[in-house]
Amino acid sequence: MRAILEAPWYVLEDPQAPGEHLVMESVGQKLAPLWLSQEEAEAFVRQSPASRGMQVGRLEDLVLKEAFLVALGLLGVRQLVLGYQPGRPQAVLLDRARALREVQQRMRAGLEAS
């Protein structure tokens, strides 16, 4: 999880509605895709008709990652799908609440070190 938290995150944003991100639903569960590579996120946009018109946004600061994870929680998202591409039978899932706890813990540790 540490490497994922330290890497920049790439998410899909709706340029017509700032702050709106792509959320998917599968088997009654809301999921949010997340990529660690801009190229992978752009490949998803090209391959997925539902995401056409969305742009790739980069989240690098822990504060932005925390805000993203909190907002997803308000939308009922429980899992992050890491590196998802259409047609891949398997995907890596990350628990959103756990990722949020880890981000907040790192933020507190950074404040205490200051």
Side-chain angles (χ1 to χ4, degrees):
M1 172 80 78
R2 182 179 183 163
I4 293 168
L5 294 178
E6 291 176 358
W9 293 359
Y10 296 91
V11 297
L12 298 185
E13 303 171 326
D14 184 348
Q16 303 302 317
E20 294 291 324
H21 298 278
L22 180 66
V23 173
M24 305 180 302
E25 191 165 338
S26 176
V27 193
Q29 296 249 352
K30 290 185 180 180
L31 309 163
L34 172 70
W35 297 270
L36 302 180
S37 152
Q38 183 172 352
E39 293 77 21
E40 283 189 344
E42 289 170 350
F44 178 86
V45 172
R46 286 190 304 273
Q47 296 176 31
S48 175
S51 66
R52 295 252 161 73
M54 298 195 93
Q55 62 188 24
V56 176
R58 180 181 170 130
L59 305 177
E60 199 160 354
D61 299 333
L62 288 175
V63 173
L64 292 175
K65 292 175 182 179
E66 179 190 37
F68 177 69
L69 294 169
V70 167
L72 291 176
L74 294 173
L75 294 171
V77 172
R78 295 177 137 190
Q79 301 285 324
L80 304 172
V81 183
L82 186 61
Y84 177 71
Q85 295 296 326
R88 281 194 193 162
Q90 296 182 355
V92 175
L93 296 177
L94 303 173
D95 182 74
R96 185 209 53 86
R98 179 175 173 226
L100 177 59
R101 284 191 304 273
E102 296 276 342
V103 165
Q104 291 172 332
Q105 183 178 34
R106 293 180 131 247
M107 290 172 66
R108 280 192 299 277
L111 288 175
E112 291 170 3
S114 309

